[in-house]
Amino acid sequence: MDSIDEKILSILQQDARISMRNLAKEIPMSVPATCERVRKLEDSGIITGYTVKVNQAKLGNTVNSFIVCSLRIGELESNIRWAKKQPQIVAAYTLAGRHALLLQVSCVDMQEYQELINTLYTCSVIESYIIIETIKDNVFNPREVQD
């Protein structure tokens, strides 16, 4: 991966719906060369898909948080299966360290949030962090992108 690929990823991170023509202008490269670069990034698994960023608050989800869980021995797999089924969990990660699981949660209100927390009965420790404001949520973090 070179600086051109990094620039492509940075641009696509900001606007995944950008046309190949406009992307090519920003690089700058020809449209066919840009399409080939993007295809190679997809084929190599660096680009795994294109998504939509959703403003949870505008959907009516007023309680957004991160929850870290310490699990009892042998409970990771059952908690992973449980997390995948919960519509309020918008992202979940396994971790190395004191906590085994990190959940990003989006709920309509505190009652729904409390009901979700109450179902985390297999966790030995739960720490909850309400999100006040999102300051940055880019996934790709280029070390050095030349303009």
Side-chain angles (χ1 to χ4, degrees):
M1 196 163 100
D2 61 16
S3 63
I4 294 170
D5 291 334
E6 288 180 350
K7 190 163 186 180
I8 289 170
L9 291 174
S10 182
I11 292 166
L12 288 174
Q13 183 75 46
Q14 297 305 310
D15 182 6
R17 295 182 63 190
I18 191 171
S19 70
M20 286 297 122
R21 177 173 285 132
N22 288 340
L23 180 58
K25 285 179 187 175
E26 289 196 39
I27 303 295
M29 290 180 78
S30 70
V31 173
T34 301
C35 290
E36 181 64 17
R37 287 276 190 148
V38 171
R39 185 193 60 74
K40 284 181 179 177
L41 289 167
E42 292 168 344
D43 290 348
S44 68
I46 293 172
I47 294 177
T48 58
Y50 298 86
T51 62
V52 173
K53 291 182 181 180
V54 176
N55 183 326
Q56 294 292 333
K58 292 201 177 201
L59 289 177
N61 295 327
T62 61
V63 180
N64 295 283
S65 75
F66 290 101
I67 300 171
V68 288
C69 305
S70 296
L71 303 174
R72 297 180 188 138
I73 294 173
E75 293 289 342
L76 182 59
E77 290 304 316
S78 63
N79 277 277
I80 289 171
R81 286 191 301 277
W82 170 85
K84 288 179 177 180
K85 294 177 186 173
Q86 306 308 310
Q88 301 93 340
I89 297 176
V90 297
Y93 308 90
T94 56
L95 306 174
R98 188 175 79 163
H99 300 291
L101 198 59
L102 170 66
L103 308 173
Q104 184 176 355
V105 174
S106 186
C107 295
V108 171
D109 55 25
M110 284 306 286
Q111 180 179 346
E112 182 181 50
Y113 186 69
Q114 185 63 49
E115 289 169 5
L116 181 72
I117 294 289
N118 290 343
T119 63
L120 292 168
Y121 62 90
T122 60
C123 296
S124 60
V125 175
I126 299 169
E127 293 180 23
S128 181
Y129 301 92
I130 301 293
I131 299 170
I132 303 298
E133 176 185 13
T134 300
I135 351 179
K136 183 178 180 181
D137 68 352
N138 288 352
V139 176
F140 175 67
N141 184 15
R143 295 186 191 275
E144 189 175 320
V145 175
Q146 304 296 323
D147 286 337

